[in-house]
Amino acid sequence: MKPLPLEIREALETDIPAIEVMLRELISKSQYAPCLSYSPRKALEALTGAIHSDAIYLAYVELNSPVGFLLGSRAYVPWSEDQMGIEMYWYVYPEYQNLGVGKVLKKMFEDWCRENGCVCNTMGNGLGIETEELVDNYLIKDGYVPVEKMYVQCL
C-alpha cells in the first residue's frame, strides 16, 4: 500500500469551521448523542479557546480539505505535581481510517505532551464510541494500558 501524501499541522483559527464539521460528525456517532444536544455556538467557542491554549492538529491529504483532527489538552492531576496530556477528540473520516492518519495525529499529540512537560497522556473513549478494536489492536500494542471505564445514563 502506497503511503498517503499526508500533511499534519497545528490548527489555526481559520481551520475552526472545518474542525467543527468533523466534531459534529464525531459527536453524532457518540453514545452521548441521545442525551445531549449539539450546539454549534458552544462548539465554536470551545474550539476558539482551544486554538490558543491546547493542542489541535489537523491532517490533510494533498493539501485539500482536512481528513482528521486530534484535540488534546494538559492538566494537573489532583494528587500529583505532574501534568498529564488528555486526548479529548480524535477523529478521522471513515474513508481515511486504517491508512495511518490517526497514528500520525496521535504521535504529534504525544510529542506535544512531552514538549509541554506531561509525564503521561491519556487516549480514551470519552465520547462513548465503540473503540474496542482500536484499543485491542493499536493502543495497547503501542504501550497504553487500560485504566478505567466511564458509564453514562441519560436522565
Side-chain angles (χ1 to χ4, degrees), residues 79-94:
W79 40 264
S80 175
E81 297 291 329
D82 297 322
Q83 291 186 87
M84 64 187 295
I86 302 169
E87 168 266 320
M88 299 180 322
Y89 305 109
W90 183 21
Y91 184 68
V92 175
Y93 280 126

Side-chain angles (χ1 to χ4, degrees), residues 34-50:
C35 302
L36 302 171
S37 62
Y38 182 80
S39 167
R41 180 186 63 78
K42 292 293 285 183
L44 290 174
E45 285 176 12
L47 290 170
T48 300

Side-chain angles (χ1 to χ4, degrees), residues 90 103 106 110 121-124 131-149:
W90 183 21
K103 185 179 240 180
K106 183 183 78 61
E110 290 167 347
N121 70 307
T122 63
M123 303 293 291
T131 58
E132 196 169 311
E133 182 181 330
L134 171 69
V135 170
D136 289 345
N137 293 330
Y138 181 61
L139 292 178
I140 290 175
K141 289 179 184 174
D142 209 24
Y144 286 79
V145 295
V147 174
E148 62 183 39
K149 285 187 174 184

Side-chain angles (χ1 to χ4, degrees), residues 21-54:
V21 169
M22 288 186 279
L23 181 62
R24 186 182 310 211
E25 182 169 322
L26 172 63
I27 290 173
S28 74
K29 298 175 181 187
S30 165
Q31 292 174 358
Y32 286 137
C35 302
L36 302 171
S37 62
Y38 182 80
S39 167
R41 180 186 63 78
K42 292 293 285 183
L44 290 174
E45 285 176 12
L47 290 170
T48 300
I51 287 285
H52 299 289
S53 62
D54 297 323

Side-chain angles (χ1 to χ4, degrees), residues 31-32 124-128 147-153:
Q31 292 174 358
Y32 286 137
N125 190 9
L127 286 175
V147 174
E148 62 183 39
K149 285 187 174 184
M150 178 174 35
Y151 297 88
V152 176
Q153 177 190 35

